[in-house]
């Protein structure tokens, strides 16, 4: 992974479950900001100002919190840039309306709540956006605070100089923005180094080792079940008959078929077979599972392991279908794919789960969160006793 790529990735993308666990903090900060803005606007202002603009300020703060609440959902991951821009824009506008609502000689800096709300607003989204976005967004909010409060201090002079008032307005946002950016940058760097170290034992090598172990186990089973008893019988006989020769040919054909099947089996089929036995069905005639990259394979394999080890999942009801997505596209889309060299592969998983909708969500929601970050177009259909997943990935 390049440094540029690492800079763009977020804590949510590196650690989806950790980001899901931190979501209550973001929701709590948003709710606290709304309540605080409402209480201060109503009960603790030096200037009566405009009730309409005060109400608008509270609405804008609530709207920014709603954007974060919606976009931070693990089922809408990853947190989109447009949501971050909307969040910052709403907070910046709320800062302006807050000062406008109380336009006058406001003597208590404690009543100017938006400076701290914009600061905590950056903290809310720290796990969801890269450090570059956090830095730019926080800097813009700090500038808005400095300008609006500076204009107010210049219009209504007080003991505090205008420059100091502007700095005090921007300082909380600058401090918490710096802390959030350092967190995001440090987390991404550590996660990247962990991935590099893990790459020393690559997914491909792990799969080769796993397939080799499985092949060895299959051949050992054949030897113990067919070959060894046959040789034991031959040792007790004085003459080898035509029936013995025919049986030997059947055993040899069985070993040859097993070796051919092992050679043709993809990593996906091997993973399904290891976890679910011979019952699950995999329909991948073109071997398109092989084009998944290392991260995608790890995520899919983890979900398969969890699914087959769940007591409510029946392996016999599992079916996987892998096809080129452009087989369902129109002629223009196919031509565009042919020109750009881009093509998509569609993977569909169907599972029989002896559980209710709520039970299925309780069991698999953490895995859905990880899958959503890895495959943004993930579609999950949960029905009583059934679970269906559908997502796509690039074919390089």
């Amino acid at each position: 992974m390049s440094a540029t790529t690492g800079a763009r990735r977020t804590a949510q993308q590196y650690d989806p479950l950790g980001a899901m666990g931190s979501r209550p903090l973001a929701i709590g900060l948003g709710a606290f900001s709304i309540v605080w803005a409402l209480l201060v606007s109503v009960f603790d202002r030096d200037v009566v100002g405009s009730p309409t603009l005060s109400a608008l300020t509270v609405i804008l703060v609530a709207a920014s919190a709603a954007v974060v609440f919606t976009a931070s959902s693990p089922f809408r991951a990853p947190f989109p840039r447009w949501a971050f821009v909307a969040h910052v824009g709403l907070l910046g506008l709320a800062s302006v309306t807050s000062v406008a609502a109380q336009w006058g000689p406001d003597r208590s800096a404690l009543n100017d709540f938006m400076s701290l709300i914009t600061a905590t607003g950056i903290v809310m989204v720290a796990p969801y956006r890269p450090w570059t976005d956090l830095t730019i967004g926080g800097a813009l909010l700090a500038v808005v605070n400095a300008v609006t409060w500076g204009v107010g201090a210049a219009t209504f002079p007080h003991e505090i100089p205008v420059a100091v008032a502007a700095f005090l307005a921007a300082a909380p946002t600058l401090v918490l923005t710096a802390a959030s950016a350092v967190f995001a940058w440090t987390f991404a760097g550590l996660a990247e180094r962990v991935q590099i170290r893990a790459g020393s034992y690559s997914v491909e090598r792990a799969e080769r080792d796993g397939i080799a172990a499985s092949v060895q186990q299959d051949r050992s089973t054949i030897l113990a079940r067919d070959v060894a008893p046959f040789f034991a019988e031959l040792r007790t006989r004085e003459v080898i008959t035509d029936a013995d020769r025919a049986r030997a040919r059947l055993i040899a054909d069985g070993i040859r078929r097993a070796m051919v099947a092992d050679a043709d089996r993809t990593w996906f089929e091997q993973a399904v077979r290891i976890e679910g036995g011979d019952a699950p069905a995999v329909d991948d005639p073109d071997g398109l599972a092989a084009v998944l990259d290392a991260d995608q394979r790890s995520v899919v394999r983890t979900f398969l392991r969890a699914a087959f080890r769940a007591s409510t999942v029946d392996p016999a009801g599992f079916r996987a279908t892998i096809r080129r997505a452009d087989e369902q596209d129109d002629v223009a889309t196919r031509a565009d794919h042919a020109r750009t060299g881009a093509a998509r592969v569609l993977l569909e998983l169907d599972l029989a789960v002896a559980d209710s909708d709520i039970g299925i969500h309780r069991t698999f929601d953490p895995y859905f969160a990880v899958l959503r970050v890895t495959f943004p177009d993930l579609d999950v259909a949960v029905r009583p006793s059934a679970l269906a997943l559908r997502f796509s990935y690039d074919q390089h």
Side-chain angles (χ1 to χ4, degrees):
M1 182 186 301
S2 67
T4 303
T5 302
R8 288 198 301 266
R9 296 192 69 177
T10 66
Q12 183 188 43
Q13 291 173 304
Y14 279 116
D15 184 15
L17 296 182
M20 186 171 67
S22 68
R23 187 171 181 242
L25 175 62
I27 296 173
L29 287 174
F32 176 76
S33 298
I34 297 170
V35 174
W36 189 22
L38 181 61
L39 292 177
V40 174
S41 296
V42 174
F43 298 109
D44 195 20
R45 280 289 195 169
D46 292 339
V47 180
V48 176
S50 169
T52 301
L53 289 177
S54 293
L56 178 59
T57 300
V58 176
I59 292 173
L60 290 171
V61 172
S64 72
V67 168
V68 175
F69 173 78
T70 303
S72 64
S73 169
F75 305 109
R76 293 183 176 87
F79 194 101
R81 174 168 289 176
W82 69 260
F84 177 74
V85 172
H87 174 60
V88 171
L90 289 168
L91 288 180
L93 187 57
S95 290
V96 175
T97 57
S98 175
V99 173
Q102 305 297 329
W103 191 248
D106 189 355
R107 304 305 185 193
S108 177
L110 295 177
N111 293 339
D112 296 313
F113 56 87
M114 280 307 304
S115 177
L116 292 179
I117 287 182
T118 55
T120 56
I122 295 298
V123 175
M124 289 169 61
V125 294
Y128 306 110
R129 294 305 306 167
W131 69 270
T132 50
D133 286 8
L134 298 174
T135 301
I136 294 172
L140 289 175
L141 288 176
V143 169
V144 171
N145 288 338
V147 170
T148 52
W149 285 22
V151 170
T155 305
F156 304 99
H158 195 46
E159 292 88 355
I160 300 177
V162 173
V164 174
F167 173 76
L168 291 177
T173 302
L174 290 175
V175 170
L176 290 188
T177 294
S180 300
V182 169
F183 160 77
W185 179 77
T186 303
F187 191 101
L190 290 174
E192 183 178 353
R193 286 194 289 272
V194 168
Q195 285 190 345
I196 292 173
R197 292 176 182 176
S200 62
Y201 184 75
S202 65
V203 172
E204 289 79 5
R205 179 181 172 188
E207 288 168 358
R208 287 198 302 269
D209 292 347
I211 291 175
S214 177
V215 170
Q216 183 178 4
Q217 181 179 359
D218 291 345
R219 293 175 185 175
S220 298
T221 300
I222 295 174
L223 290 173
R225 184 190 62 201
D226 299 326
V227 178
F230 177 61
F231 283 151
E233 291 180 15
L234 291 181
R235 290 181 58 188
T236 63
R237 298 182 183 179
E238 296 180 356
V239 179
I240 298 178
T241 64
D242 291 338
D244 294 328
R245 296 186 182 91
R247 185 179 174 188
R249 282 193 295 271
L250 289 175
I251 293 174
D253 289 341
I255 295 175
R256 185 162 49 252
R257 284 194 299 271
M259 293 175 66
V260 171
D262 288 330
D264 293 340
R265 190 178 296 134
T266 65
W267 72 269
F268 183 83
E269 294 170 308
Q270 190 69 29
V272 169
R273 189 167 181 269
I274 290 173
E275 299 296 339
D278 295 327
V282 177
D283 184 12
D284 182 17
D286 298 322
L288 296 175
V291 302
L292 282 162
D293 64 31
D295 290 343
Q296 292 169 334
R297 293 188 187 192
S298 298
V299 171
V300 172
R301 186 189 295 275
T302 299
F303 173 76
L304 292 175
R305 183 180 297 113
F308 286 122
R309 294 183 181 181
S311 59
T312 54
V313 173
D314 179 12
F318 175 90
R319 180 174 181 82
T321 303
I322 306 177
R323 290 286 189 275
R324 289 184 176 85
D326 59 6
E327 293 177 359
Q328 303 174 8
D329 292 336
D330 54 29
V331 175
T333 304
R334 293 185 188 181
D336 182 66
H337 287 169
R339 184 180 67 259
T340 61
R344 301 288 291 175
V345 177
L346 183 65
L347 194 155
E348 298 177 334
L349 301 176
D350 294 283
L351 298 89
V353 187
D355 205 346
S356 63
D357 295 14
I358 297 176
I360 294 174
H361 276 292
R362 186 183 300 114
T363 302
F364 294 108
D365 270 358
Y367 301 97
F368 296 158
V370 179
L371 284 166
R372 173 72 67 185
V373 171
T374 309
F375 305 100
D377 65 343
L378 173 70
D379 179 63
V380 179
V382 178
R383 300 180 301 275
S385 302
L387 171 63
L389 282 73
R390 176 189 175 102
F391 54 86
S392 65
Y393 52 93
D394 288 325
Q395 178 185 359
H396 301 288

